[in-house]
Every structure is written in structure tokens, then in C-alpha cells.
Amino acid sequence: MLSHEQSSGVAAQQCDTYAWFSQRAWVEIDLAALSHNVQQLRRFLSPRTQLMAVVKADAYGHGSVTVAQTVLQSGASWLGVATVPEGIQLREAGIKAPILILGATHTPEQIHAIAHWKLQPTICSPKQALIFSDILEAINYSSPVPVHIKLDTGMSRLGTNWQQAAEFVQLVQRLPHLNIASIYSHLATADSLDPAVMKLQHQRFREAIAQIKALGIKPPCLHLANSAAALSDKALHYDMVRVGLAVYGLYPAEHLRSCIDLQPVLQVRARVTQVKTIAAGTGVSYGHQFVAPHELRIAVVGIGYADGVPRNLSNKMQVIVRGQKVAQLGAITMDQLMIDVSAIPDLQEGEIVTLLGQEGKQQISADDWANQLNTISWEILCGFKHRLPRVAVI
Ligand SMILES: *Cc1c(COP(=O)(O)O)cnc(C)c1O
């Protein structure tokens, strides 16, 4: 067995049909870190605030069923998904917790599936509310469907303008097949150092709720905060917080690092498939974007951009091998990339390379990649393709 496996004692709990150790590359999901993050968040929230774990986009690339089961055991009580099929996948896996669909749904097929699988839709407009009502009436659906009213307080994405909140809520309340389970909005700038827009959105949310209450309607549940808002201001917690990124152990912004201790859940590893020495002046990979300035020992690693390693990191990224950081060389190809292992002359084929995550004292985070690519860690996490098996590690 290889040194990395011995040292980390990775007793993999299989969540894929292929034996993980026979893979050329894989994603490790650290369930202990996931559980830790949920417990940290739970401790940070008041006992009356519910924790919704947002598991859309296959749990930000981590694998939604495994993540959902773990977070529900660790203190989350709701799940958030983007689409109907994402919700069905969780129900088919036997998950009973309430599931909010954060995206818009309109078609009869979507509405039938929502009723059948007991998913809970977001209602963004009076028109959508009426479509739901008509379709549930047509299928003679017996019990009212719990729905979540979405207000636009400044994100300019889904939702009815906050100034029309009272009329909107009144209309939905009159529809016999719909039962308002919550009223919510979404913040556009909660990760910013400048709180001005967030404060304005919060003020609009408060005003909308005040108008709804003035009609004698008592909203059963209010929620506003994503990860950044949950970490930045307890006044934004209301009855529930909808947390994605922080559950996966990443901070939405540098200035929010001090709030709680989070541990990254996802690690990406691949194997060395060949090791060779190249002479000075030898070009590496397509386009020879890298030319060896002197003799080098290089290794080929079995992972590429078709697995989700962004090609724009070519010649820029580092990887960790035997506990030390080494440079990636030349263009990243679809299924393979090359690294400089001159510092580890006895490196063997089959040894493990860490692309993202920790090995020994070294660490490379999704934030490192995001900074190099001028994007956000959310996109990095969602970028790993299904060709990489997800392996749960305890
Ligand atoms: C994705 C999403 C969240 C979670 O956002 P994070 O920044 O990852 O915590 C919360 N609410 C809504 C409406 C979302 O779409």
C-alpha cells in the first residue's frame, strides 16, 4: 500500500460502485468535517432558529444524498434544493425532512411531482400562485401544499417586489390548495465589507412583513440569511437560515473567518500514472506552453479538465505530493496533467497527488483556485464532474 493511505488511514466508506483505490482520480468527502461544520453553525444559532442546509447542485458537488443524510443527523432540520429532480433524488433515497425548492416551478409536470413527492415550492408571483392553484384543483389534490412566498428586496432575481408583498400574500392566502409555510427573501451583498445594501434589503424585508402583519396575517416562518448573512449578523437569522457554502467548510468572505471554525469537506486527489526525466529544452503538453529550462523529473497525473480541474489553471497551479507543494507544468489536458517532481526523484507511479485539500502540513483550498481564476469558491466546488467518484471518508 502507498504511504498516503497508510498515514491518513483512509478507511473509505464506499459510495461508489468501483473500489476507490483502483481509481485514477476521485473526490473525498470528509463526513466528520461536514458534521463538525453543521454543529458549529447550530451552536452559533439560537435554539429557535432552524438550520436549512442548501444541497442544490448535488450539494455543491459533494454528493447530495450522502450530504443530506449527514447534515440531518448533525443538526440541520431542512434541506434546500434548486430543482424538482434534485428534491426527488433525496425523497427516493428515503429522506423525510422538509425540502424547499429554491428555484421557480410552473409546469403541470413539476407541480404534480411536487405534490406527489411532498416537496415545498417557492412561489414568486401571483401568476405562479394561480397556476399552482388551478393544477392542484384539476387533480383534486386533497391537502393544501405548503408554499414559500419569495419577495424581491433588492436581488432582482426571483420574487415579487417587496412593495407588493401584502397584496401578494393576501392573494395566496385565499387560494384553498396553497398553505403559506414561510415568507422569505435573498440578499445580494451579504459577503461585502460594505453593509449598506444588505441593511437596505433588511429594512425592506421588515417593512414588507409589517404590512403583512397589519392585514392580520401572522407569517408562520421568516427567513433571509445565506451563509454570509448568517455569519455576519444575528439580526438576520429570523426563524431559519439557508446555509450552503459554510456547511461545506468554506467562508463566504475573508472578514467572516473569525465567526466560527469551519473545515473544508471536499478534497480532490489523483494518482501518478507515469514518471520520467526530460532534457533541457523539452516542451511539455499541448502547445508547449512550458519548456524545461534544465533537466526535469516530471510526473503525469490522471486528472484533467474533463474532471473539473479548470484549464485556466494551466502552468499556474500547484499540487501536493508527499507533503510538499510542486508546480503543474504546461497545458492541463482533458484527462491528464503534468507536474514537476524534480524535488522527489524517487516518486513512484501509483502514488497519490492532492489537487485540493490537505496533505501533511500543506493545504490548497478552493479559495486558492478561485483567487487564481478570479471567480468564487462556490463555482470551484460545483465544477467537479461526475466522472470523479465521490468517496465518503470518516
Ligand atoms: C444558494 C442559495 C442559498 C445558499 O447560499 P450560500 O451563500 O451558499 O450559503 C441560500 N438561499 C438561496 C435562495 C439560494 O439560492
Side-chain angles (χ1 to χ4, degrees), residues 275-336:
V275 187
K276 60 175 70 171
T277 300
I278 59 170
T282 307
V284 176
S285 192
Y286 292 121
H288 281 185
Q289 289 172 28
F290 177 85
V291 177
H294 45 77
E295 185 181 282
L296 287 178
R297 188 104 178 121
I298 67 166
V300 183
V301 183
I303 190 167
Y305 62 76
D307 300 296
V309 181
R311 190 175 170 282
N312 278 335
L313 288 175
S314 294
N315 259 323
K316 289 186 202 157
M317 71 183 294
Q318 293 186 308
V319 303
I320 310 170
V321 196
R322 293 238 196 120
Q324 71 185 76
K325 282 190 185 172
V326 304
Q328 188 275 323
L329 304 176
I332 293 168
T333 73
M334 191 180 288
D335 320 300
Q336 308 176 70

Side-chain angles (χ1 to χ4, degrees), residues 337-355:
L337 53 83
M338 275 62 85
I339 58 175
D340 181 358
V341 295
S342 304
I344 316 160
D346 66 331
L347 187 74
Q348 302 298 308
E349 288 159 9
E351 285 196 51
I352 294 171
V353 173
T354 297
L355 289 101

Side-chain angles (χ1 to χ4, degrees), residues 197-249:
V197 173
M198 185 168 81
K199 284 195 166 146
L200 178 66
Q201 283 197 265
H202 188 199
Q203 177 57 28
R204 288 172 172 173
F205 189 65
R206 275 197 303 255
E207 275 178 42
I209 300 308
Q211 284 169 22
I212 291 162
K213 284 184 175 162
L215 294 173
I217 300 170
K218 195 177 172 296
C221 170
L222 301 172
H223 46 113
L224 184 59
N226 54 4
S227 294
L231 296 182
S232 62
D233 187 352
K234 291 195 180 188
L236 303 167
H237 289 184
Y238 286 95
D239 302 305
M240 180 155 79
V241 293
R242 306 183 306 270
V243 181
L245 193 75
V247 163
Y248 307 106

